[in-house]
């Protein structure tokens, strides 16, 4: 019942801010599990999730973290942040834009990040915002750092999605594009990248 309420709240936020939310519903657990599946976080010191929405990816990231790993999330939408906090009361969440990740990392007492898990809707972002976000992430990811992100199959042909893909190929030494994850509405794919 509470998941249904969360989905409805997410859908309402999509109606208000379609470009920033970028999806009608939160991701499925199948997609969330797949996206984080390739992450190697055993020796990670700091892991950051951006655009966590209601927290479905976080469900699957937390069990991968060792007790020595610090983790926080950055969500721009206060309504979704409130749902996230109910679902993950023990997780540090900043209600802020992910472009501010470098400042937040510094305030958090760190300088570098081992992995960034992105739930951001890159295909609906303008080129300037894509560049600002990616610049911010690259400035804190440590050498060999991991970056994962996802998109929707029907959106792959959009210029913004292709631009994002080119950026990943240019900036990361390893970029793997998954096959389709059909058990998601809509079907999705994901990127697993390493600096
Ligand atoms: C497609 S939804 C994904 C939500 C969640 N990760 C999931 O898979 O269900 C995109 C999320 O990114 C958030 N978002 C968009 N722009 C952002 C920004 N600049 N900084 C932080 N979060 C942002 C939205 O508010 C939304 O929660």
């Amino acid at each position: 019942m509470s998941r249904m309420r969360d989905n409805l709240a997410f859908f309402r936020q999509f109606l208000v801010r379609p470009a920033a939310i970028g999806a009608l519903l939160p991701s499925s657990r199948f997609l969330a599990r797949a996206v984080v599946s390739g992450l190697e976080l055993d020796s990670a010191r700091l892991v950051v999730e951006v655009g966590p929405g209601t927290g479905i990816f976080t469900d699957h990231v937390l069990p991968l973290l060792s007790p020595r790993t610090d983790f926080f999330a950055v969500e721009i939408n206060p309504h979704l942040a409130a749902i996230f906090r109910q679902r993950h009361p023990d997780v540090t969440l900043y209600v802020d834009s992910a472009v501010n990740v470098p400042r937040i990392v510094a305030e958090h007492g760190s300088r570098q990040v081992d992995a960034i898990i992105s739930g951001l809707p890159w295909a609906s972002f303008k080129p300037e915002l894509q560049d600002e976000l990616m610049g911010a992430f690259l400035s804190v990811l440590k050498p060999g750092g991991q970056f994962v992100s996802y998109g929707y199959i029907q959106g792959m042909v959009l210029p913004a999605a292709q631009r994002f893909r080119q950026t990943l190929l240019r900036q990361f030494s390893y970029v793997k594009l998954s096959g389709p994850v059909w058990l998601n509405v809509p079907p999705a794919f994901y990127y697993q990248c390493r600096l």
Side-chain angles (χ1 to χ4, degrees):
M1 186 62 194
S2 70
R3 286 291 169 268
M4 213 142 86
R5 195 194 55 207
D6 293 358
N7 290 355
L8 196 61
F10 190 97
F11 180 64
R12 279 208 200 96
Q13 291 308 308
F14 169 77
L15 294 179
V16 181
R17 297 171 191 83
I21 304 293
L24 295 173
L25 290 170
S27 298
S28 69
R29 65 180 188 279
F30 304 101
L31 177 62
R33 198 180 297 135
V35 172
V36 305
S37 65
L39 286 168
E40 289 168 20
L41 302 178
D42 295 348
S43 57
R45 301 275 291 276
L46 176 60
V47 175
V48 175
E49 181 179 356
V50 290
T54 56
I56 173 72
F57 278 43
T58 321
D59 289 353
H60 296 270
V61 173
L62 294 179
L64 302 177
L65 304 178
S66 86
R68 295 177 308 284
T69 310
D70 205 359
F71 174 78
F72 69 78
V74 183
E75 168 57 54
I76 202 169
N77 184 302
H79 301 280
L80 298 181
I83 295 173
F84 180 97
R85 284 196 168 119
Q86 282 174 11
R87 185 168 181 159
H88 294 293
D90 299 329
V91 172
T92 303
L93 175 73
Y94 295 90
V95 183
D96 203 336
S97 171
V99 298
N100 295 319
V101 157
R103 174 176 53 71
I104 300 168
V105 167
E107 284 171 8
H108 208 72
S110 306
R111 283 190 323 171
Q112 289 193 305
V113 178
D114 293 86
I116 296 179
I117 297 142
S118 165
L120 299 177
W122 295 93
S124 54
F125 287 163
K126 296 211 165 82
E128 303 77 40
L129 182 57
Q130 283 193 359
D131 289 349
E132 197 180 0
L133 287 161
M134 190 49 74
F137 299 164
L138 292 171
S139 74
V140 290
L141 260 185
K142 60 171 60 161
Q146 301 163 82
F147 176 81
V148 292
S149 188
Y150 73 95
Y152 301 115
I153 284 176
Q154 90 276 10
M156 277 177 98
V157 292
L158 295 175
Q162 292 187 3
R163 188 178 189 280
F164 177 58
R165 182 182 186 155
Q166 290 307 318
T167 302
L168 294 180
L169 291 169
R170 211 173 44 249
Q171 299 290 357
F172 289 87
S173 64
Y174 172 84
V175 178
K176 182 180 163 200
L177 176 64
S178 78
V181 179
W182 297 112
L183 291 174
N184 194 71
V185 183
F189 64 94
Y190 53 94
Y191 293 105
Q192 294 172 320
C193 312
R194 252 186 206 275
L195 259 192

